[in-house]
Amino acid sequence: MAYVALADRGQILSHPHSFITKYIWSQDHKVIAIQYGITAISVGVVALVLSAMMRLQLGFPDTFSLIAPDEYYQFVTMHGMIMVIYLLTALFLGGFGNYLIPLMIGARDMVFPYLNMLSYWVYLLSVIILMASFFVVGGPTGAGWTLYPPQAILFGTPGAEWGILLMLISLAVFIVAFTMGGLNYVTTVLQARTRGMTLMRMPLSVWGIFTATVLGLLAFPALLVSAIMMTLDRLLGTSFFMPAIVSMGEQTNYGGGSPVLFQHLFWFFGHPEVYIVALPAFGIVSDLLSTHARKNIFGYRMMVWAIILIGGLSFIVWAHHMYVSGMNPYFGFFFATTTLIIAVPTAIKVYNWVLTLWRGNIHLRVPMLFAIGFIFTFVHGGLTGIFLGNVVVDLPLSDTYFVVAHFHMVMGVSPILVVFGAIYHWYPKITGRMFNETMGKFHFWLTFLGTYSIYLPMHYLGFLGVPRRYYAYEGIEFIPESALQLNSGITIAALFVAVVQILFFVNMIWSLFYGKKAEGNPWGATTLEWQTPQTPPIHGNWGDELPEVHRWAYDYSVPGEAIDFIPQNVPANDNPEAHRT
Amino acid sequence: MSTIVFFIFIMVGLSYWWLWRQKVLEQPWVTEGTDIDLRDDIAQISPTAKTGLIIFLAVVTSLFSLFISAYFMRMSLNDWLSVDEPLFLWLNTALLVLASISIQWCAGAARNSNIRTVRYTLLATGVFTGAFIWGQLLAWQDLNAAGHYLQSNPANAFFYLLTGLHGLHLLGGLWVWSRTTLRVMAGVNTDQVKLSVQLCRTYWHYLLAVWIVLFGILLST
Ligand code: HEM
Ligand SMILES: [Cu+2]
């Protein structure tokens, strides 16, 4: 069978012409990616504003009385859930996954374009449902992003009227959207790679996004199961999770259910979720480092294996979030062990990033700054994770600000730095314009140093035992005055970081109109997305013929070559020995 | 959680085996050219829709494994009262088996370009499946009439939940089935529906298997 047909098979692209079919009901993966991206970043801004409100309350409890205790719970919950699911998951997979997969593997589009379009609109629906909960009676749920029963659905918790239901429904709708998208990403990688694009020639970005999608497809059902069962408990009075309980002085009709069962289901999703966010970041950062250091990625095979290994292991560490839940203590031993084991491939990745930089020809452009910043924050958050993975250390630190500091470093700041780096990196391809370099550098330094000054001090608060999810700390005996002052400092840093993001938005919008026109491959990168005939790529991505791939994705600074990169689609020359490194 | 962990082990094992066959051990930096692409040798690559369906079924299996895990964990708590499943669930099972047989037959007919048989067997599949769903609803009614309400015991709640979810998946299948049937009735030739029929076949067999597992668990506990 003629081979080229494989990637092109069944892909009859209709080129739409009206504005609506081109930019709104579009089936083009690039347009869908941008729709996903803009929506995710917009809800992300909502979550950022919520965190600023919380910080104002924590830092200056007497000066500002913007929010009430109830609202604090609601804001914590919405902030956490939006950041993790509706921003990061949607942006990495729906945004970058959609944009990069077909371009990087040399396909014309996703294999199911219609499903892909549907995926975005269903995602938008889930966002709308979530946002609607701000406007219903009782407001959004204040159960914490972990939504633990029994309190999540009992009256007395803010949002027990409608908020919790809207949250559960929105999550279910999100999962439907994710599944539609995820089927697309996985099938596209499996079936639509162009000729010569073997698995081991795929850029690490694709590996990361691909593996994360597989994790998501297998793990999100756990969230769906818990959402369905909790909805039944709340609406129809079943007792899957609800024990016999007295609520507001009255015996409820619940009985016999198990809150720990919920925690198992939730974290069976929750831990892989960390890697759903982290693996795409790992992949993308590898490509940024390699491209801007003009050096092949150190240990490509080990990087791939580490991604795959982390993917598998991430399903057997979930109960390290449950050391204090009252589960069988022997489980703690098992899960602490698996948690330490998963740190090994993760550490290998870090070594390889650093070794990629070693004696590289480092260009400190904006994407590179963000990538290097990521290495710092990720190592930092990763190390505190090893502390928390051990039962004896976790018990006193659990539910303190040490945990808040840990997860913000590892899955808040680190992926966000990669998001920024990646947006700057691919901005010329997406828009056809260059961004403003100086403004980008300011954005990096202020964000990087700013977030550090938010989260570094939080570790000390954690050591003091300052509990998380608290509205106010005045008059608590063991919390010294100095901790409250530290809180004010953290708040100032947080507000500063929030305001600085304006630089990013201004840069993006200004450059869209006034930026210098970008060439097709401004960074001198090897991967296929930079080799498209047009910039930005048009519908269908490639000209009449799909590119053919002749080499791996990291032929940078090959000895004996005149230029310091060889794109993947450049055939071998007469003397193939010359390329070998 | 042992059910879901077992399922995940199988999935991870399968993926690692597949990846190994795809040469993830090779050193990509020493090879050049396009001739190392394994897929050149694989004469028949399955249509994307089939691959998509198989991945989707893996997702659905994850979902049901999780429900089964939850079932066993909830069962081990001390307020569990077994349900006596209505006897005619056996009859329903037989109906679903018939549906599977007829869609299998239909796929065979589609391969042999026998559009008449395709038409009849496709309709039979729909009728049997509809009858199965109807029968499940009757089972719900029966239980309700006997005072086994959703709220009264977790065993009942799981019974309604699992059968309901399985039924919903069948309804989804019926939607695809109805579109295929409409096309067959409109008189397209077999080549144009062969793929749809094959996809339906896989889906129906899969849901039969899920039902047998669920039914077995419900009966034995
Ligand atoms: C400058 C940016 C950010 C600031 C100032 C910030 C601030 C906060 C604050 C004040 C809390 C509540 C702590 C408490 O009272 O327990 C919180 C919780 C949380 N944040 Fe952030 N955050 C930021 C970015 C992020 C990002 C990017 C993520 C993405 C993973 C994230 C995920 C979470 C989660 C999961 C929670 C826990 C919610 C809960 O306890 O239910 N945050 N954040
Ligand atoms: Cu975890």
Side-chain angles (χ1 to χ4, degrees):
Chain A
M1 184 188 301
Y3 186 79
V4 181
L6 176 63
D8 257 347
R9 187 185 318 157
Q11 296 242 19
I12 307 133
L13 293 175
S14 54
H15 293 283
H17 296 293
S18 80
F19 178 83
I20 299 232
T21 43
K22 232 170 155 172
Y23 298 108
I24 298 182
W25 303 112
S26 172
Q27 302 188 18
D28 182 346
H29 71 101
K30 298 181 291 298
V31 178
I32 297 172
I34 291 165
Q35 291 173 326
Y36 252 114
I38 290 177
T39 313
I41 291 174
S42 311
V43 268
V45 170
V46 173
L48 185 72
V49 171
L50 293 179
S51 68
M53 305 277 273
M54 289 190 289
R55 279 314 322 177
L56 276 175
Q57 163 59 32
L58 293 177
F60 305 98
D62 306 321
T63 323
F64 298 97
S65 42
L66 288 170
I67 55 178
D70 270 12
E71 285 169 327
Y72 189 87
Y73 287 129
Q74 296 171 320
F75 287 8
V76 179
T77 309
M78 295 300 273
H79 163 80
M81 195 66 99
I82 291 175
M83 287 290 191
V84 174
I85 309 257
Y86 299 86
L87 169 68
L88 288 177
T89 307
L91 187 56
F92 271 122
L93 301 178
F96 290 110
N98 252 319
Y99 198 87
L100 294 178
I101 290 174
L103 280 167
M104 281 188 154
I105 65 172
R108 294 202 184 279
D109 206 320
M110 290 287 178
V111 289
F112 310 120
Y114 182 76
L115 205 60
N116 206 20
M117 173 183 84
L118 220 54
S119 164
Y120 169 71
W121 291 102
V122 176
Y123 162 64
L124 184 65
L125 178 67
S126 77
V127 169
I128 292 172
I129 296 174
L130 187 74
M131 289 301 133
S133 72
F134 278 106
F135 304 101
V136 294
V137 178
T141 176
W145 90 280
T146 46
L147 305 179
Y148 281 180
Q151 47 88 10
I153 58 174
L154 286 180
F155 284 84
T157 305
E161 297 89 346
W162 289 102
I164 183 71
L165 282 175
L166 288 177
M167 171 65 86
L168 294 170
I169 294 168
S170 165
L171 287 172
V173 173
F174 180 89
I175 293 167
V176 172
F178 173 79
T179 307
M180 293 196 276
L183 285 177
N184 246 314
Y185 316 149
V186 171
T187 317
T188 305
V189 170
L190 291 182
Q191 302 236 304
R193 278 171 288 135
T194 187
R195 181 179 165 82
M197 182 58 88
T198 62
L199 284 185
M200 291 307 272
R201 281 177 174 176
M202 296 198 305
L204 287 167
S205 298
V206 178
W207 269 110
I209 292 169
F210 173 69
T211 315
T213 310
V214 174
L215 294 192
L217 287 174
L218 295 174
F220 267 112
L223 184 61
L224 184 61
V225 167
S226 20
I228 292 176
M229 295 191 352
M230 179 130 62
T231 310
L232 291 178
D233 276 4
R234 167 71 178 76
L235 278 186
L236 300 179
T238 53
S239 296
F240 290 113
F241 301 134
M242 297 298 282
I245 199 167
V246 175
S247 166
M248 308 189 117
E250 269 178 57
Q251 183 71 39
T252 59
N253 291 326
Y254 296 117
S258 161
V260 177
L261 170 59
F262 175 88
Q263 297 191 17
H264 276 298
L265 290 172
F266 181 85
W267 288 111
F268 187 81
F269 146 77
H271 189 83
E273 169 62 29
V274 175
Y275 287 96
I276 293 168
V277 171
L279 290 179
F282 290 174
I284 289 173
V285 101
S286 309
D287 285 347
L288 300 193
L289 289 171
S290 175
T291 306
H292 296 279
R294 316 309 297 156
K295 196 164 156 246
N296 62 347
I297 190 81
F298 188 92
Y300 173 81
R301 286 192 304 169
M302 257 196 276
M303 292 304 243
V304 173
W305 300 341
I307 288 179
I308 304 170
L309 208 62
I310 292 172
L313 285 171
S314 70
F315 281 105
I316 48 168
V317 298
W318 79 86
H320 63 206
H321 297 276
M322 298 168 59
Y323 292 151
V324 295
S325 70
M327 66 174 182
N328 183 337
Y330 286 107
F331 286 2
F333 177 73
F334 173 79
F335 284 101
T337 312
T338 52
T339 303
L340 296 183
I341 292 175
I342 206 174
V344 176
T346 314
I348 289 179
K349 296 195 76 76
V350 174
Y351 292 129
N352 286 355
W353 289 322
V354 177
L355 287 168
T356 302
L357 294 177
W358 174 250
R359 309 183 79 182
N361 175 9
I362 296 178
H363 293 54
L364 281 182
R365 303 175 187 122
V366 179
M368 184 62 151
L369 287 173
F370 277 99
I372 295 175
F374 162 85
I375 299 181
F376 280 92
T377 56
F378 187 73
V379 166
H380 192 134
L383 287 176
T384 52
I386 295 179
F387 286 53
L388 292 172
N390 290 284
V391 184
V392 281
V393 187
D394 182 67
L395 291 189
L397 289 177
S398 180
D399 274 324
T400 68
Y401 263 83
F402 192 83
V403 176
V404 177
H406 155 68
F407 70 69
H408 275 100
M409 281 315 259
V410 82
M411 80 168 306
V413 178
S414 303
I416 290 285
L417 290 182
V418 177
V419 163
F420 283 133
I423 292 178
Y424 283 115
H425 183 75
W426 279 291
Y427 187 81
K429 180 55 63 177
I430 298 172
T431 61
R433 302 266 183 176
M434 298 303 286
F435 53 86
N436 182 311
E437 187 87 16
T438 319
M439 225 195 285
K441 283 187 175 156
F442 267 106
H443 176 221
F444 167 74
W445 283 109
L446 299 180
T447 304
F448 178 69
L449 296 176
T451 46
Y452 241 102
S453 28
I454 303 175
Y455 296 112
L456 196 62
M458 280 192 192
H459 293 86
Y460 295 96
L461 293 179
F463 287 146
L464 292 174
V466 177
R468 75 188 264 214
R469 292 178 176 164
Y470 267 40
Y471 168 73
Y473 297 100
E474 278 70 30
I476 301 177
E477 219 168 286
F478 67 88
I479 299 178
E481 182 59 30
S482 59
L484 303 182
Q485 285 162 2
L486 196 54
N487 249 340
S488 315
I490 293 174
T491 294
I492 293 171
L495 295 177
F496 177 74
V497 169
V499 171
V500 159
Q501 302 316 308
I502 291 173
L503 279 179
F504 169 74
F505 291 105
V506 168
N507 197 351
M508 292 296 108
I509 294 168
W510 183 85
S511 308
L512 200 56
F513 299 103
Y514 307 107
K516 206 170 78 210
K517 278 249 180 321
E519 312 140 43
N521 189 1
W523 315 125
T526 56
T527 41
L528 289 182
E529 81 275 22
W530 298 103
Q531 325 302 335
T532 52
Q534 290 88 7
T535 296
I538 55 165
H539 192 209
N541 295 345
W542 317 99
D544 293 337
E545 272 185 46
L546 291 175
E548 279 196 359
V549 170
H550 294 269
R551 58 189 70 249
W552 74 326
Y554 299 96
D555 265 342
Y556 288 107
S557 305
V558 179
E561 292 288 331
I563 26 173
D564 67 351
F565 70 102
I566 313 173
Q568 284 191 278
N569 56 348
V570 171
N573 62 14
D574 301 337
N575 173 16
E577 289 302 317
H579 289 315
R580 299 204 172 152
T581 48
Chain B
M1 299 295 281
S2 40
T3 315
I4 182 67
V5 171
F6 177 70
F7 165 71
I8 290 291
F9 271 172
I10 293 178
M11 293 311 290
V12 171
L14 282 176
S15 337
Y16 285 5
W17 172 75
W18 178 83
L19 285 166
W20 180 69
R21 286 211 356 193
Q22 297 281 314
K23 302 205 169 167
V24 285
L25 302 184
E26 90 184 3
Q27 302 179 326
W29 53 90
V30 297
T31 55
E32 271 181 352
T34 56
D35 47 316
I36 66 160
D37 199 330
L38 267 183
R39 293 167 300 167
D40 280 334
D41 310 332
I42 306 172
Q44 270 174 341
I45 288 154
S46 79
T48 44
K50 249 187 201 164
T51 312
L53 178 64
I54 299 215
I55 296 166
F56 177 66
L57 293 186
V59 177
V60 179
T61 313
S62 177
L63 184 75
F64 278 109
S65 308
L66 282 153
F67 271 118
I68 292 170
S69 290
Y71 186 87
F72 286 135
M73 284 166 79
R74 187 65 183 81
M75 200 176 83
S76 65
L77 302 177
N78 47 25
D79 63 335
W80 186 273
L81 295 173
S82 285
V83 208
D84 281 328
E85 283 79 14
L87 268 181
F88 64 85
L89 281 183
W90 286 99
L91 185 71
N92 292 355
T93 311
L95 285 169
L96 200 58
V97 171
L98 286 176
S100 252
I101 292 175
S102 56
I103 191 81
Q104 178 68 30
W105 194 341
C106 179
R111 197 171 46 239
N112 300 329
S113 307
N114 186 345
I115 192 74
R116 264 183 53 136
T117 315
V118 168
R119 202 172 293 160
Y120 292 137
T121 48
L122 206 53
L123 279 179
T125 308
V127 171
F128 287 134
T129 312
F132 171 84
I133 294 175
W134 184 248
Q136 297 290 78
L137 287 175
L138 287 181
W140 281 15
Q141 230 174 29
D142 233 45
L143 280 177
N144 240 327
H148 297 296
Y149 305 118
L150 182 79
Q151 302 89 329
S152 35
N153 193 269
N156 307 344
F158 268 111
F159 180 86
Y160 290 109
L161 182 56
L162 292 176
T163 50
L165 225 80
H166 178 261
L168 275 182
H169 280 84
L170 269 179
L171 283 180
L174 277 180
W175 184 67
V176 177
W177 167 86
S178 65
R179 296 194 357 166
T180 314
T181 310
L182 282 179
R183 275 175 32 225
V184 170
M185 293 303 157
V188 299
N189 64 34
T190 44
D191 281 349
Q192 286 166 282
V193 289
K194 205 161 94 191
L195 183 61
S196 308
V197 169
Q198 283 173 356
L199 295 177
C200 283
R201 176 187 60 181
T202 312
Y203 192 66
W204 252 260
H205 290 349
Y206 171 80
L207 282 182
L208 175 64
V210 169
W211 170 245
I212 288 172
V213 170
L214 291 181
F215 190 39
I217 291 174
L218 291 172
L219 276 185
S220 61
T221 53

